[in-house]
């Protein structure tokens, strides 16, 4: 397994503020954050932040021990239950809290047929589209600087043929076509924040999604990254499928985000269920054997994904059991205790793939640095530098 | 069943060359050709024409009794067995013969992974693409005026993942992506003959093909018409699927051509066969019951397609049994005798959907004309007009 592309490995010049070489010195190189986005659903931070830390404290503290990347919910139906009254304050406070903790926040999603606002259906299609585009302006501009990453549109493969219930977005997707709607919402989001990372996201990993992406790219849709959902309530894909999906979506050359990963620690959902939402149970227990299996499967999958240079983010969907579908899908049990998967992933992210070391400069103030890409605090004799070590960095570090 | 859109129905002024109204006169209105393209494979015309009518005479004569539209083979491997020696003369003679008979000719196909030239695999991908584009120039420009309709690229849904054998076109499709290759070949064909009718053609009628077309149109690919194959060796789709396919491919608003229709008059190929080419039999007899069924199914399908305003062409793939897969897929049996399907289709095309009538002008030289769109000979007392009656026509007919 070659993960050298996740690291920098080069000779660095260490100097003081006057430009003098820091010779023959022991220098501590401590990682503060990953360049790679290790993500998880951040929904639990909303009650935590809004209660000033009284609710969900154990959850929030555990979460922050591993992750540097959170997905926050912008489902239109929940975000703007009544037209004209968006829940901006709550989301802004939560996103700002996370940002202050060094966590990158992604808004999910700007356009989706599920969880959509019912009041939109009172309008004709032209008005629905206009309101959709204005919502994109409002959120993307309104959160700029706090949230600069968006799932722009979700699950478009099924969108125009979704027939479980009538909704405003299926109506306009049927009229404009898939690529037409994708182009409209991406163009608007890109105009609203040209620096934002904009994702297309889908659970459909078949040839349908490949062809859709192919069409979008040829139509000039400004997709920053391909979002792939991998809810595996019906059992782990296995390494073969993980590699196969990676191969099929790699040929576009775009960054790939595993946006919604789920591996559960209980009984597997029966294979005959097509829409996961159709599986409604009263309880879905986590089991000791399930927890061992979950940890093993998450480890294998994360290792495969971390090795692929195009993968830039992996987000586990639920941090704690009992959320979507009541599944045992989290790193924490219902009582907030940590599963084996938590300890395993923390070890990967904060030990095996983490740099906390010391280098010794030579007589010219040079030392070779081998370090996982990310943010660092470099220190020597009370002087320090807070820097980011990535491919683009300069080769001199000034200690102040 | 409303087929009024297939007809013109309007009051026409009949005049002589001096502009005088042709009053109170009996005027014969005889159809010579359809605007609608009733097509069939025209491969059998090649030996007919090249033998100066000695071979295949019965086949050619029967064919011309019904059809006004022929598909001719331009499979690269057969058309240019040895690089630099295209079989242009044969195809030009055959196409010109058909054109002189009032038959519209379509070339099939300019780009396809099957039937491709093996010698192309001696080149690297950039060279293969260059040769593919130059071949498009050569054929589209070389046949302009004789063939102005092309299946530009065939079966792209499967093209980059086709793995039965290595071939030059799958190689370049894998590299450029589906939409990228489609755009390259269509742009080239359109530049070579801006007036040509250019088709995308596929046997895959699933959501894959819908998404592919959607992407192509948003990427500006100059597709004139959507080509849908409907080889039904494994049994008639049934009206429900025919309507369903029409509905799903109608929302683009583009003309639809049923490019390769097959309904057989013998035993049905087993459903488990995925690639029809895998069904290899020594003989595949036509049966009396099969022939009745074939005629019924063709009639139902043609009626449904003729009713849909977007359908502009229907091509039966084999005119005579024993061609592709040795199937009993024709209107003629192996001994050149006509099946019930031949008589049925001829009745539809040349009687029920055909106009051969007389109108009587009033005292101002006006008469209402109700006629299937197409080419006509209008005659009155030894004077006549050869005209085309379609939506765009003027309302005055001058008899000379």
């Amino acid at each position: 397994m070659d993960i050298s592309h996740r690291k920098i490995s080069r000779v660095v010049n260490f100097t003081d503020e006057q430009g003098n070489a820091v010779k023959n010195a022991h220098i501590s190189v401590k990682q503060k954050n990953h360049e790679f986005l290790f993500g998880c659903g951040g929904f639990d931070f909303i009650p935590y932040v809004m209660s000033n830390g009284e609710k969900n404290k154990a959850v929030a503290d555990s979460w922050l021990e591993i992750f540097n990347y959170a997905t926050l919910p912008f489902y239109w139906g929940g975000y703007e239950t009544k037209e004209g009254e968006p829940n901006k304050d709550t989301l802004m406070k939560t996103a700002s809290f996370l940002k202050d903790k060094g966590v990158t926040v992604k808004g999910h999603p700007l356009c989706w047929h599920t969880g959509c606002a019912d009041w939109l259906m009172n309008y004709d299609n032209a008005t629905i589209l206009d309101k959709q585009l204005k919502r994109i302006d409002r959120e993307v501009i309104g959160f700029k600087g706090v949230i600069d990453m968006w799932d722009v549109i979700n699950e478009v493969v099924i969108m125009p043929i979704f027939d479980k219930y009538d909704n405003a977005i299926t109506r306009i997707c049927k009229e404009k076509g898939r690529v037409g709607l994708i182009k409209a919402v991406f163009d608007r989001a890109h105009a609203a924040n040209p620096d934002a990372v904009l994702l297309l996201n889908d659970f459909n990993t078949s040839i349908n999604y490949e062809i859709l992406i192919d069409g979008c790219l040829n139509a000039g849709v400004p997709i920053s990254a391909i979002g792939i959902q991998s809810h595996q309530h019906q059992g782990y894909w296995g390494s073969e499928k993980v590699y196969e999906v990676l191969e099929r979506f790699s040929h576009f050359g775009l960054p790939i985000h595993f946006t919604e990963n789920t591996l559960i620690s209980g009984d597997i959902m029966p294979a005959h269920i097509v829409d996961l939402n159709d599986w409604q149970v009263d309880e879905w227990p986590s089991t000791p054997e399930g927890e061992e299996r979950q940890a093993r499967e998450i480890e294998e999958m994360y290792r495969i994904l971390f090795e692929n240079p195009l993968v830039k983010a992996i987000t586990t969907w639920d941090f704690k059991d009992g959320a979507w579908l009541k599944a045992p899908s989290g790193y924490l049990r219902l009582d907030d205790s940590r599963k084996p998967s938590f300890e395993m992933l923390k070890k990967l992210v904060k030990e095996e793939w983490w740099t906390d070391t010391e280098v010794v400069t030579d007589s010219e103030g040079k030392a070779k640095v081998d370090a996982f890409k990310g943010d660092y605090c470099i220190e020597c004799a009370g002087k320090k530098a807070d820097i980011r070590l990535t491919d683009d960095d300069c080769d001199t570090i000034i200690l102040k």
Side-chain angles (χ1 to χ4, degrees), chain A:
Chain A
M1 182 157 289
D2 177 16
I3 54 168
S4 57
H5 55 281
R6 298 291 177 201
K7 303 177 86 171
I8 64 131
S9 179
R10 62 168 169 264
V11 174
V12 174
N13 297 303
F14 292 89
T15 72
D16 63 17
E17 277 186 278
Q18 286 73 40
N20 303 310
V22 179
K23 300 171 186 170
N24 307 311
H26 288 251
I27 295 178
S28 108
V29 177
K30 280 183 183 294
Q31 189 163 5
K32 296 293 166 194
N33 205 346
H34 276 285
E35 178 188 58
F36 192 91
L37 297 171
F38 289 102
C40 198
F43 296 23
D44 295 330
F45 281 98
I46 295 174
Y48 174 75
V49 169
M50 298 312 285
S51 69
N52 291 315
E54 283 180 21
K55 291 182 186 165
N56 276 351
K57 181 159 172 26
V59 174
D61 288 347
S62 295
W63 196 104
L64 290 166
E65 283 185 35
I66 300 181
F67 298 109
N68 63 351
Y69 176 42
T71 301
L72 286 184
F74 281 79
Y75 306 107
W76 201 347
Y79 184 72
E80 190 176 1
T81 314
K82 197 172 161 201
E83 186 175 4
E85 299 179 11
N87 191 16
K88 182 176 178 183
D89 184 54
T90 299
L91 270 295
M92 184 59 91
K93 280 186 177 140
T94 309
S96 301
F97 169 85
L98 287 162
K99 192 188 173 211
D100 290 345
K101 295 281 183 191
V103 173
T104 301
V105 178
K106 182 178 68 173
H108 167 86
L110 290 168
C111 181
W112 192 26
H113 52 278
T114 302
C116 194
D118 283 342
W119 50 260
L120 269 173
M121 287 191 285
N122 297 329
Y123 298 101
D124 63 20
N125 283 5
T127 308
I128 291 169
L129 178 62
D130 183 57
K131 286 182 184 288
Q132 170 66 70
L133 298 177
K134 286 187 174 137
R135 157 173 156 83
I136 290 172
D137 290 343
R138 184 183 65 191
E139 269 65 280
V140 175
I141 294 171
F143 284 84
K144 198 186 291 192
V146 180
I147 300 179
D148 296 315
M149 192 180 289
W150 294 94
D151 288 330
V152 179
I153 186 166
N154 204 28
E155 303 180 357
V156 185
V157 170
I158 205 179
M159 188 175 276
I161 53 175
F162 179 83
D163 59 3
K164 288 198 136 189
Y165 46 80
D166 185 19
N167 70 87
I169 300 304
T170 290
R171 289 187 196 168
I172 59 172
C173 191
K174 220 172 247 182
E175 186 171 319
K176 286 193 74 72
R178 292 176 178 86
V179 181
L181 181 58
I182 293 171
K183 189 160 169 49
V185 295
F186 266 84
D187 282 349
R188 196 68 166 242
H190 183 67
N193 183 356
D195 299 325
V197 173
L198 303 178
L199 288 106
L200 185 67
N201 191 42
D202 215 302
F203 68 88
N204 187 316
T205 58
S206 78
I207 196 175
N208 285 313
Y209 191 33
E210 281 181 81
I211 296 178
L212 183 64
I213 295 166
D214 190 7
C216 287
L217 295 178
N218 278 280
V221 178
I223 297 172
S224 317
I226 295 167
I228 293 175
Q229 301 179 20
S230 48
H231 294 292
Q232 296 160 79
H233 298 75
Q234 292 171 309
Y236 176 41
W237 286 357
S239 60
E240 198 177 343
K241 178 165 174 186
V242 177
Y243 281 119
E244 183 247 332
V245 168
L246 281 174
E247 199 211 325
R248 288 194 293 104
F249 289 90
S250 287
H251 64 81
F252 299 108
L254 280 179
I256 295 172
H257 288 205
F258 275 70
T259 51
E260 306 185 18
N261 195 54
T262 301
L263 284 159
I264 62 169
S265 65
D267 288 345
I268 298 305
M269 186 193 294
H272 72 267
I273 303 292
V274 175
D275 184 333
L276 301 185
N277 289 302
D278 291 340
W279 186 247
Q280 294 293 336
V281 291
D282 290 332
E283 55 175 19
W284 194 343
S286 185
T287 64
E289 319 81 67
E291 292 184 358
E292 293 303 324
R293 186 195 65 223
Q294 184 202 35
R296 263 196 328 271
E297 293 169 348
I298 291 179
E299 179 175 0
E300 179 172 287
M301 189 159 170
Y302 270 67
R303 284 188 185 278
I304 295 171
L305 297 182
F306 195 65
E307 191 189 16
N308 187 301
L310 288 174
V311 177
K312 305 296 184 191
I314 314 168
T315 295
T316 295
W317 191 243
D318 292 325
F319 184 62
K320 180 177 160 178
D321 282 1
W324 185 37
L325 305 173
K326 296 186 186 155
S329 49
Y331 292 104
L332 299 195
R333 301 184 190 93
L334 288 172
D335 65 1
D336 295 348
S337 62
R338 296 168 175 191
K339 294 187 195 170
S341 57
F342 181 94
E343 305 300 346
M344 179 282 303
L345 189 63
K346 186 175 173 193
K347 204 161 164 227
L348 278 187
V349 173
K350 290 296 176 74
E351 291 182 32
E352 188 177 328
W353 295 337
W354 187 256
T355 302
D356 185 347
T357 189
E358 191 178 88
V359 296
V360 181
T361 54
D362 64 12
S363 57
E364 295 178 310
K366 291 179 193 296
K368 175 112 184 272
V369 175
D370 260 301
F372 282 95
K373 292 172 188 170
D375 298 327
Y376 280 81
C377 181
I378 313 285
E379 278 193 283
C380 178
K383 296 194 167 183
K384 65 177 193 160
D386 289 305
I387 57 159
R388 169 153 265 231
L389 293 176
T390 67
D391 291 331
D392 305 325
D393 275 343
C394 66
D395 293 337
T396 299
I397 294 175
I398 303 167
L399 299 166
K400 300 179 184 180

